[in-house]
């Protein structure tokens, strides 16, 4: 998968580590497995 970079004014892309942490937390919200 290619990374896409946004050089426009406004919000910037989040680092990959932050996106991976958010993804893991969405699957386990407050200790409950969500599928």
């Amino acid at each position: 998968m290619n990374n896409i970079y946004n050089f426009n004014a406004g919000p910037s892309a989040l680092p990959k580590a932050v996106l991976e942490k958010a993804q893991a937390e969405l699957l386990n919200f407050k200790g409950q497995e969500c599928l």
Side-chain angles (χ1 to χ4, degrees):
M1 186 165 121
N2 296 330
N3 291 332
I4 297 173
Y5 297 97
N6 179 4
F7 294 103
N8 296 321
S12 62
L14 295 172
K16 187 174 181 180
V18 174
L19 295 174
E20 290 172 345
K21 185 174 189 318
Q23 180 184 28
E25 290 179 0
L26 286 173
L27 295 176
N28 186 359
F29 182 71
K30 293 185 179 182
Q32 298 178 2
E33 291 291 326
C34 303
L35 297 176

